[in-house]
Amino acid sequence: MDVLMQRIDRQDAATLERLLRDKGISANDSWRMAIAPHDDYAYVGYLYPLVLANIKAGTVIVFGVAHKARQLDIEDQLIFDSFTHWRGPYGDIAIAPLRERIMSSLPEGSYQVSDEMHGIEHSVEAKLPFLQYYDRAVQFVPILVPSMSYARMTELAVPLAQAIAAIMIDGRLEWGQDIALLASTDAVHYGDEGWGGRDFAFYGADAEGYEKALQHEQEIMGDCFDGDLQPDKIERFTRYTLADHDHREYKWTWCGRYSVPFGLLVAWHLQQLRRARPLTGTILGYATSVDHARVKVDDLDGMGVTAPATLHHWVGYASVGFL
């Protein structure tokens, strides 16, 4: 991890500094809510520290994607684990004790515990080395969000926000300093090759199609994440990404089409419950697996890439912070 961060710094320090300066973000800013990628480190590179360096809280509630939930016949429920800790590059990373209190506060039927689902999922795991790099004592609560309608997201977000608010009040915890929320996603999965026989080249798999896809990505982020966070913006994101006829299907292939809106709904309701200042979103950066130089990782133990990066198969990455 130390070597990876050194390489990101050597390759992209100027880009990181410029993006943060242009967005008016300082090292002292602490996200209350954030959105970050989870793809291969070689491809995502600087987009990880761009957002995760400003997660300052000692406890992070991470809303992850449940990529294989359909295979396990799981939907409409939040998915917790029962592990005491997960492995990290600098030692074990503890599950925060507030997990059990959260679960005990949720309505019956709103969640299940599945170590199997967490064990085969990478969307939370990818964040942990970066969180631990910045804070060796960080703790977290992983919550996977499988397919569900926007109405079901709202139904589950309210009691979860209420549980978090009660924990914050009892423990005198500060949002952004003691506890933070983090949604995991990769942006569009695009192309006509390598997607299990499915064609996700909505605008074509050439340079023109790539540019049109990027324009659509910017439209989504600008409409949904930029500025004051409001429920209509969150619902708008689901209209961009979930098929009109069936919320289980893609309209636009963001793998975080459930984790992102759900996490944002929890954040918005928590802001209302705590009578905190409104959440303001800053789109820190966006990149794709084909638009910048890879970070060299193939000489590091167990690291590499898991998919090709061409105009026929590429992934987008968005880093967004909410103060």
Side-chain angles (χ1 to χ4, degrees):
M1 191 63 197
D2 289 340
V3 172
L4 175 68
M5 292 300 290
Q6 290 166 6
R7 292 177 182 179
I8 291 174
D9 183 68
R10 186 164 57 244
Q11 181 171 307
D12 296 304
T15 299
L16 280 164
E17 182 179 352
R18 174 181 56 79
L19 288 170
L20 293 171
R21 183 181 64 248
D22 291 349
K23 300 294 184 177
I25 303 301
S26 76
N28 295 322
D29 288 325
S30 302
W31 306 129
R32 288 182 288 166
M33 170 73 203
I35 299 169
H38 57 242
D39 203 0
D40 298 336
Y41 294 179
Y43 291 147
V44 180
Y46 71 90
L47 273 294
Y48 275 112
L50 179 63
V51 61
L52 296 180
N54 284 83
I55 295 281
K56 308 289 188 180
T59 297
V60 185
I61 298 175
V62 186
F63 301 101
V65 177
H67 284 95
K68 298 183 179 180
R70 187 174 295 190
Q71 297 177 23
L72 300 182
D73 197 27
I74 300 175
E75 64 178 1
D76 291 331
Q77 290 182 312
L78 303 176
I79 309 170
F80 291 84
D81 71 332
S82 67
F83 299 117
T84 59
H85 62 273
W86 289 26
R87 295 191 185 103
Y90 305 102
D92 291 342
I93 306 176
I95 298 293
L98 56 84
R99 177 187 62 189
E100 276 63 35
R101 183 169 174 187
I102 288 174
M103 288 193 293
S104 69
S105 300
L106 296 178
E108 183 178 354
S110 64
Y111 74 93
Q112 64 173 275
V113 176
S114 175
D115 290 344
E116 180 183 11
M117 184 71 250
H118 279 270
I120 60 176
E121 178 54 52
H122 63 273
S123 61
V124 173
E125 179 185 17
K127 307 282 190 302
L128 299 184
F130 290 93
L131 294 175
Q132 193 183 38
Y133 176 85
Y134 294 112
D135 179 2
R136 298 294 195 270
V138 70
Q139 299 183 343
F140 76 112
V141 177
I143 304 175
L144 302 183
V145 187
S147 66
M148 59 182 69
S149 66
Y150 182 76
R152 180 60 170 166
M153 292 181 201
T154 301
E155 183 180 359
L156 296 182
V158 172
L160 180 54
Q162 290 171 336
I164 297 170
I167 290 168
M168 292 175 67
I169 292 169
D170 290 349
R172 298 183 179 179
L173 303 178
E174 292 293 327
W175 194 5
Q177 296 300 323
D178 299 307
I179 193 166
L181 310 181
L182 175 62
S184 184
T185 184
D186 285 327
V188 71
H189 291 50
Y190 196 94
D192 58 1
E193 294 178 357
W195 300 115
R198 291 170 292 178
D199 185 353
F200 295 151
F202 303 97
Y203 297 108
D206 55 12
E208 182 180 358
Y210 176 77
E211 290 301 323
K212 288 181 178 179
L214 294 186
Q215 291 172 14
H216 192 59
E217 290 276 84
Q218 295 301 318
E219 178 185 343
I220 292 172
M221 293 188 296
D223 280 356
C224 304
F225 305 147
D226 193 32
D228 286 351
L229 181 65
Q230 295 293 336
D232 63 320
K233 289 186 176 182
I234 304 171
E235 185 176 13
R236 192 179 305 153
F237 177 80
T238 66
R239 293 200 299 270
Y240 272 115
T241 56
L242 306 184
D244 297 332
H245 66 282
D246 186 351
H247 66 263
R248 298 172 184 83
E249 301 300 329
Y250 286 114
K251 179 186 290 184
W252 184 252
T253 43
W254 277 57
C255 68
R257 64 196 190 277
Y258 308 114
S259 58
V260 167
F262 181 77
L264 292 175
L265 280 169
V266 173
W268 186 83
H269 283 290
L270 183 59
Q271 181 261 319
Q272 297 291 302
L273 289 165
R274 296 307 314 274
R275 294 184 173 86
R277 71 182 186 277
L279 288 152
T280 302
T282 300
I283 301 168
L284 299 165
Y286 177 90
T288 74
S289 55
V290 296
D291 73 354
H292 61 283
R294 298 181 191 177
V295 179
K296 181 176 174 56
V297 299
D298 54 6
D299 60 329
L300 303 178
D301 186 33
M303 297 189 71
V305 297
T306 55
T310 71
L311 290 181
H312 294 277
H313 185 114
W314 58 271
V315 178
Y317 312 118
S319 289
V320 185
F322 294 82
L323 292 173

